[in-house]
Amino acid sequence: MRSDLHMMTPQIPVDEARRLAALHATSLFGTGPEEAFDRITRMASKLLHVPTALISLVGADTQWFKSRCGFDPQYGPRDTSFCGHAILSDEPMVVEDASKDPRFADNPSVLGTPHVRFYAGMQLYSVDRAKLGTLCIIDSEPRALGEEELAELHDLARMVEELIHHRQLAIAAQQLHDGLQQNASRAQLAASAGQVEFLLNHDTLTGLANRQALLGTIRDRITDWQQRQVPAAVACLNVDRFKRVNDAFGHAAGDEVLVAVTRCLQAELGADDLLARTGSDEFVLLLSPPADEAALQARLVRLLDSVNSSVSWAGKDISITCSIGVARFPQDGEDADTLLSNANTAMRHAKETGGARTQYFAPSQRRELVRRMALEHQLHRAIEREELFLQYQPKIDLQGGTLAGFEALLRWRHPVHGVVSPEEFVPIAEETGLIVPIGDWLVRTAIRQMAGWHAAGLPEVPVAVNLSARQFLQGDVVGLVGEMLAETQVAPHLLELELTESLSMADPERSLAIMRELRELGVTLSIDDFGTGYSSFAYLKRLPIDKLKIDKSFVNDMVHSSDARAIVQAIVAMAHSMHLHVVAEGVESAPQALALRETGCDQAQGYYYSRPLDAGEAGSFLAPAPAAKVGIARG
Ligand code: C2E
Ligand code: CA
Ligand code: CA
């Protein structure tokens, strides 16, 4: 239809007055080319393989090209501009073929020179988040823009914004300087100083107050809280696993998440609250004094609910959760530094205990944090100082009462604290990435131990090794295991790898592929802690596994709870129907062992049979006579 094809002039944004004021404040409109900007458009043209790249500032009636690569005119009318359309939305505007887009098909720059067919415009924002215009690329051929190219355009646009911001700051500082030299009026000086302060105190990405501004405000607020003798709260908010968002979806998506979090929080803020961005994914909230504890709690719940949302970026939904740490004035600190530091400690605690929650500060968290930081530091050298070692806990065949194998368990003999539990240091190793070299070490050590026992003439039994999610997904487990099996000639099926359910949830496709490769090596795979995670049997069916380990919490409850007993019975039956072997862990008493045997469970492991043993003790356990004795005595 003809009417569909009629060129559309861009609408005027609702915040046009504010937008034009922000554009005016940049002192860029109508100014000539500058090398720093031209460098960016040249890069855009080269990197994205387009003849034309522009920095277009959208004024009241015209668009002004601050930088032009491959394009002559210095300005053009707004009502036939592409950029006028682009600034109406927050999403980048990509027009793959303008001749097929009703907004542009009969646009003079499509029909005539420069014969635009392809256009992609990334919005440029002022410090206070008004849209100034775009960094755009143009081609006279239709084309598409891939996800990665879009991310590159985004990064370049951020460079333009930073340049605008710095230039603006320099101009304001110069004006202030000149004003002081020339004895300008107080009002003029105040205006220039205000402009400098604003630019210094705002974060360019979100337009929020930055750390510097926060510290000033928090000090003023504390004085006020003290005078009025009101309780108040400082909250630190952090995006959970933000690094993973950046790694998986790119920095452009990461930025989008931060802007989305900002918007969510802003919607919940009152006039007296302050929101600041203090680091990459760190936000701080100064909450106006609540009426009482319940009111504070209710506000925190609303804030957390509002940010636990999902952001769409380049056709993908990224779900985000945040952790909040809260320090209360005056009991958790009476000055800005203490309050901020304690809120931050509480936030770290919230993250370490799973995230997506709110945590009030408690002094014990500080001690924990100090210990944790010390351990983290010392863990770096634990391998080379040979402080790590493995213990081996026997697994018993429930029906025959004989030794069925061992589980290797990691230990750290700390020079000061003695033996530190893996439950404490494995999460630290995971978070810092140290789990990859540590995991390598433990896989090598366990397999060499198996070979050692064999060489000493002891019977060959399966040994299970725990693999953490990060080691599994980031390390080269397949290469490592393959290499070690070849080197030691250990029979592959004797090596069992215990994986957790959460591991396969983190990146299902990739973990499935790795599991298949391990299976091809002939290694046995088992799912650890079954029943504590999310996975269902329907899900397990898709995984190439051999074994299931029922979590010790079920075993613990079995004797007193008929429910737990029924659950274990059902798990065993379902597992058997899928040809999976079932191991129960954490068996501590004879009644538990008996109850398990009645369910048909295949193997059991626990203090009832044996504590984890040092390698030497485990070796003697393997020697035929004693092993049989223990097995029979307690089967
Ligand atoms: P897990 O894999 O579930 O290991 C079983 C844990 O239960 C071990 O604790 C073991 O000592 C303990 N246990 C054994 N029998 C009993 C019992 O009868 N009663 C009770 N209450 N507990 C029993 P441990 O060695 O402290 O390990 C704790 C967790 O640390 C392990 O849980 C595993 O998640 C992790 N971990 C241990 N070694 C490694 C390792 O080599 N690599 C990785 N990635 N994680 C490891
Ligand atoms: Ca395990
Ligand atoms: Ca377990």
Side-chain angles (χ1 to χ4, degrees):
M1 270 191 305
R2 179 68 206 155
S3 64
D4 275 356
L5 274 174
H6 194 68
M7 187 189 79
M8 291 181 205
T9 54
Q11 288 171 345
I12 299 301
V14 282
D15 65 342
E16 181 69 357
R18 190 178 87 87
R19 202 186 67 75
L20 289 175
L23 179 59
H24 177 72
T26 63
S27 323
L28 276 178
F29 198 83
T31 61
E34 286 173 53
E35 176 56 19
F37 288 103
D38 291 345
R39 207 175 288 143
I40 302 178
T41 47
R42 281 200 305 270
M43 263 166 82
S45 149
K46 221 178 191 167
L47 211 60
L48 301 165
H49 311 288
V50 283
T52 306
L54 300 167
I55 295 175
S56 158
L57 303 170
V58 180
D61 307 307
T62 45
Q63 55 171 343
W64 179 265
F65 303 121
K66 176 62 195 173
S67 175
R68 299 158 290 157
C69 173
F71 195 70
D72 274 339
Q74 175 82 73
Y75 60 91
R78 176 175 181 174
D79 56 8
T80 57
S81 74
F82 282 62
C83 301
H85 286 274
I87 62 163
L88 297 174
S89 150
D90 286 321
E91 296 256 328
M93 183 172 97
V94 180
V95 179
E96 296 188 349
D97 186 348
S99 70
K100 298 208 175 101
D101 188 316
R103 288 173 298 177
F104 306 110
D106 58 354
N107 187 300
S109 56
V110 175
L111 295 175
T113 45
H115 295 287
V116 175
R117 290 295 287 278
F118 165 80
Y119 168 97
M122 189 69 70
Q123 296 80 1
L124 296 172
Y125 291 88
S126 67
V127 182
D128 46 356
R129 297 294 290 175
K131 289 182 206 103
L132 303 172
T134 69
L135 169 67
C136 61
I137 51 173
I138 292 171
D139 202 340
S140 52
E141 303 288 327
R143 61 168 279 185
L145 198 67
E147 214 173 285
E148 238 166 69
E149 293 169 309
L150 198 62
E152 275 162 358
L153 187 62
H154 172 274
D155 283 354
L156 291 168
R158 294 298 315 283
M159 281 167 68
V160 176
E161 285 168 2
E162 247 159 54
L163 199 59
I164 295 177
H165 182 224
H166 290 157
R167 195 177 169 285
Q168 212 172 337
L169 183 58
I171 294 174
Q174 186 64 44
Q175 276 168 354
L176 182 59
H177 177 81
D178 293 350
L180 286 169
Q181 298 270 305
Q182 295 155 8
N183 292 320
S185 73
R186 278 185 97 128
Q188 273 171 323
L189 283 180
S192 320
Q195 176 76 353
V196 171
E197 199 173 282
F198 177 82
L199 292 166
L200 277 179
N201 286 335
H202 283 78
D203 160 48
T204 33
L205 175 66
T206 59
L208 291 176
N210 61 17
R211 182 168 198 93
Q212 204 161 331
L214 173 77
L215 286 174
T217 311
I218 195 169
R219 288 191 188 112
D220 295 347
R221 290 284 170 95
I222 288 176
T223 316
D224 173 57
W225 296 339
Q226 267 160 346
Q227 278 164 0
R228 289 163 52 202
Q229 300 227 314
V230 285
V234 174
C236 274
L237 183 141
N238 202 282
V239 181
D240 295 330
R241 289 170 287 276
F242 183 64
K243 201 178 160 304
R244 213 181 280 176
V245 173
N246 272 333
D247 290 348
F249 302 97
H251 286 266
D255 285 355
E256 203 59 31
V257 164
L258 296 175
V259 172
V261 167
T262 305
R263 298 286 162 269
C264 293
L265 292 173
Q266 279 172 329
E268 290 294 327
L269 292 188
D272 285 341
D273 302 319
L274 176 85
L275 174 63
R277 177 167 172 242
T278 54
S280 83
D281 61 332
E282 289 175 23
F283 297 85
V284 171
L285 288 142
L286 289 189
L287 297 175
S288 58
D292 52 29
E293 287 284 309
L296 173 61
Q297 183 58 26
R299 287 216 61 191
L300 293 167
V301 168
R302 274 207 310 279
L303 283 168
L304 195 65
D305 277 352
S306 76
V307 287
N308 289 349
S309 57
S310 113
V311 174
S312 16
W313 175 257
K316 293 200 189 79
D317 284 332
I318 309 171
S319 38
I320 43 176
T321 64
C322 294
S323 296
I324 300 183
V326 186
R328 282 164 296 181
F329 172 87
Q331 67 265 45
D332 297 334
E334 297 196 45
D335 61 82
D337 288 341
T338 314
L339 281 169
L340 278 175
S341 146
N342 288 346
N344 198 50
T345 301
M347 183 273 291
R348 305 244 153 257
H349 201 263
K351 269 186 174 267
E352 270 153 34
T353 45
R357 52 185 291 265
T358 299
Q359 173 76 51
Y360 288 94
F361 173 74
S364 61
Q365 293 160 5
R366 187 155 286 287
R367 288 192 292 278
E368 276 172 45
L369 196 75
V370 169
R371 177 176 158 103
R372 198 190 138 88
M373 277 161 57
L375 288 182
E376 182 179 323
H377 178 70
Q378 292 147 350
L379 192 56
H380 277 94
R381 291 205 228 125
I383 300 184
E384 57 191 75
R385 294 191 176 172
E386 301 187 357
E387 291 168 1
L388 297 179
F389 64 104
L390 290 181
Q391 284 196 319
Y392 299 85
Q393 186 175 35
K395 291 188 215 173
I396 303 301
D397 181 309
L398 268 176
Q399 311 305 325
T402 50
L403 180 72
F406 290 110
E407 175 177 6
L409 293 161
L410 186 58
R411 300 288 178 259
W412 178 14
R413 190 176 289 113
H414 187 279
V416 178
H417 303 302
V419 176
V420 183
S421 159
E423 267 163 332
E424 184 169 11
F425 75 85
V426 168
I428 299 177
E430 281 236 300
E431 211 166 277
T432 53
L434 278 173
I435 195 68
V436 178
I438 290 179
D440 270 22
W441 173 87
L442 81 87
V443 168
R444 285 178 201 280
T445 308
I447 298 180
R448 289 209 176 106
Q449 184 62 67
M450 294 168 81
W453 282 327
H454 184 52
L458 295 169
E460 289 183 289
V461 294
V463 173
V465 174
N466 293 283
L467 288 191
S468 79
R470 187 134 177 208
Q471 182 191 5
F472 186 77
L473 292 169
Q474 290 183 2
D476 174 20
V477 186
V478 180
L480 174 69
V481 167
E483 174 203 322
M484 286 308 294
L485 290 176
E487 181 189 312
T488 57
Q489 294 294 308
V490 163
H493 73 275
L494 292 179
L495 178 68
E496 282 182 26
L497 297 177
E498 294 193 3
L499 316 171
T500 57
E501 304 169 71
S502 59
L503 167 154
S504 44
M505 309 294 285
D507 188 345
E509 295 301 306
R510 216 172 113 61
S511 23
L512 201 61
I514 300 176
M515 286 166 93
R516 291 210 178 102
E517 288 180 61
L518 288 169
R519 253 309 208 41
E520 269 163 34
L521 288 175
V523 169
T524 304
L525 297 182
S526 107
I527 293 289
D528 204 354
D529 302 338
F530 184 75
T532 57
Y534 328 73
S535 75
S536 57
F537 275 99
Y539 179 69
L540 280 189
K541 265 190 199 152
R542 299 183 40 217
L543 303 179
I545 51 169
D546 311 275
K547 269 190 173 177
L548 214 60
K549 270 187 109 162
I550 301 181
D551 188 66
K552 46 182 170 283
S553 55
F554 293 104
V555 175
N556 195 36
D557 296 346
M558 263 183 99
V559 182
H560 349 274
S561 150
S562 52
D563 270 359
R565 198 186 285 240
I567 291 171
V568 173
Q569 187 119 41
I571 294 178
V572 173
M574 281 296 288
H576 282 168
S577 77
M578 291 162 58
H579 309 288
L580 299 175
H581 277 85
V582 189
V583 188
E585 64 179 12
V587 182
E588 294 180 349
S589 68
Q592 286 174 348
L594 191 67
L596 276 170
R597 194 155 58 181
E598 280 168 3
T599 65
C601 180
D602 305 287
Q603 296 175 3
Q605 173 185 358
Y607 298 162
Y608 172 63
Y609 303 101
S610 169
R611 297 225 161 219
L613 308 168
D614 284 338
E617 297 173 291
S620 14
F621 208 93
L622 269 176
K629 233 192 309 177
V630 172
I632 289 158
R634 295 215 146 158

